[in-house]
Amino acid sequence: MYKFFAYLDRMKYIKRWSLMRSTREENIMEHSYSVVLIAEALALIKNKIFGGKVDVYKTVNIACYHEVSEVVTGDLPTPIKYFNPEIKRAYKDLENIACDKLLTYLPDELKEEYRAFVEPDTDSYEYKLVKIADRISAYLKCVEELKVGNNEFKKAKKQIEKDIDGCKLLEVQYFMKNIAPTFSLTLDELD
């Protein structure tokens, strides 16, 4: 079991945004935590404001492990990952092999518990929230970089914003209207 968590600890060494020059580098562990917080907020907004029945525990745990395969595969930039259907399928297969390998490090009694989060049901609402939370996290990284004058992220921000705007989930619209704009504020403006 210790190997599983030792592998997860490697997430803090794998850098994100390898094709774009960042003013502040972000590793997989930091990114995953960002997605956890956003996914949790989306689930709570859905349940408390829009009367949903999202499993917050499941959402948070799927978010926690959503990049776990990258401790084995490394981070492949999105434009390459989705360049064509063959590359996308091959990378998805590689991610699945990596997840299966990581799960072998767990005791048999825990494998299925973790499998539900490491290899989640992609049709579940919770998984869909994590996928959009991942996009929102990328959008907020762009906002952060643009805020400090790094125009390298300008095009990415527009594309990601367009993707998010296409999402019709009420909790996403609420988050983008009420929470996302605060990430553009300075510390003094937050006061």
Side-chain angles (χ1 to χ4, degrees):
M1 181 166 178
Y2 66 91
K3 284 184 181 180
F4 178 79
F5 292 102
Y7 267 97
L8 295 185
D9 187 58
R10 291 189 68 232
M11 293 171 77
K12 65 187 173 198
Y13 301 111
I14 301 170
K15 297 193 177 13
R16 303 271 305 162
W17 302 98
S18 55
L19 290 179
M20 298 170 79
R21 199 170 312 131
S22 299
T23 58
R24 189 187 70 73
E25 289 185 359
E26 178 184 63
N27 63 45
I28 299 296
M29 190 175 278
E30 291 169 322
H31 165 71
S32 294
Y33 184 65
S34 169
V35 174
V36 165
L37 295 178
I38 295 165
E40 178 185 46
L42 293 174
L44 291 172
I45 291 165
K46 176 69 173 180
N47 290 350
K48 300 297 181 181
I49 297 175
F50 298 109
K53 301 219 181 300
V54 176
D55 183 335
V56 177
Y57 174 80
K58 181 178 175 183
T59 304
V60 165
N61 279 287
I62 292 171
C64 183
Y65 296 103
H66 85 283
E67 301 282 19
V68 72
S69 66
E70 291 185 10
V71 301
V72 176
T73 65
D75 182 29
L76 188 63
T78 299
I80 296 169
K81 201 183 297 186
Y82 298 107
F83 180 72
N84 67 37
E86 292 84 24
I87 291 175
K88 181 180 175 184
R89 190 172 31 262
Y91 190 72
K92 186 50 80 181
D93 290 345
L94 185 59
E95 286 179 322
N96 290 337
I97 291 167
C99 288
D100 286 342
K101 178 67 175 169
L102 288 169
L103 289 169
T104 66
Y105 295 131
L106 291 167
D108 289 339
E109 300 82 18
L110 298 176
K111 280 182 187 164
E112 292 312 307
E113 293 294 321
Y114 278 95
R115 185 180 311 281
F117 308 127
V118 173
E119 297 175 336
D121 172 8
T122 58
D123 292 326
S124 72
Y125 198 86
E126 291 80 3
Y127 177 81
K128 290 174 180 145
L129 284 183
V130 171
K131 290 300 282 182
I132 193 68
D134 194 22
R135 293 303 284 159
I136 292 170
S137 176
Y139 169 80
L140 295 175
K141 172 63 176 170
C142 293
V143 168
E144 174 187 341
E145 289 290 334
L146 289 167
K147 190 165 89 173
V148 294
N150 184 359
N151 288 324
E152 183 94 11
F153 285 78
K154 190 183 287 186
K155 184 177 177 186
K157 179 183 178 273
K158 284 181 184 173
Q159 181 57 52
I160 296 168
E161 192 170 29
K162 183 178 169 189
D163 293 347
I164 295 169
D165 287 346
C167 181
K168 301 302 178 206
L169 299 178
L170 294 175
E171 58 271 32
V172 171
Q173 294 171 2
Y174 182 95
F175 186 97
M176 294 305 291
K177 180 181 178 194
N178 297 291
I179 299 170
T182 64
F183 286 80
S184 297
L185 300 176
T186 66
L187 194 56
D188 290 337
E189 292 170 324
L190 286 171
D191 216 7

